[in-house]
Amino acid sequence: VHYAVSNSWPGGFGASITMTNRAATAIDGWTLTFAWPAAGEAVQSGWNGSWTQSGQNVTVTSASWNATIAANGGSVSLGFNGVDTGQAPAPAAFFLNGKVCSNV
């Protein structure tokens, strides 16, 4: 998983997430989860998946057109606009289908 803030403004920011499958088998259907490190951060609107948030916990599920992540380097990109309290610290960990991913 690669997380990057693409822009920011007072009270908000935009970010992208790219998930790359380095395994020898494709991922068919995915759910990405992460938690904000600071209260007050929230996803306002996201794309390339179905986004939900409960407290500081965010869940993104695949859309029909990007449910498969090809093996050996296939990737899927997501993005969102969020709100924050003046800082936008990155989530400490990402989980894909319940398994922790490295953040590169």
Side-chain angles (χ1 to χ4, degrees):
V1 172
H2 177 74
Y3 173 89
V5 173
S6 52
N7 52 47
S8 63
W9 53 90
F13 65 103
S16 64
I17 299 171
T18 302
M19 300 178 293
T20 302
N21 181 8
R22 305 217 184 276
T25 57
I27 297 169
D28 188 20
W30 53 264
T31 299
L32 180 71
T33 58
F34 61 90
W36 294 118
E41 290 183 280
V43 172
Q44 193 170 40
S45 62
W47 48 92
N48 291 344
S50 296
W51 295 75
T52 59
Q53 183 168 338
S54 176
Q56 290 175 233
N57 300 310
V58 177
T59 301
V60 190
T61 55
S62 56
S64 60
W65 65 88
N66 66 0
T68 300
I69 307 176
N72 301 314
S75 64
V76 169
S77 294
L78 320 170
F80 67 94
N81 289 325
V83 296
D84 63 28
T85 58
Q87 295 184 350
F94 292 87
F95 297 85
L96 183 62
N97 292 344
K99 296 179 182 174
V100 69
C101 299
S102 59
N103 184 7
V104 294

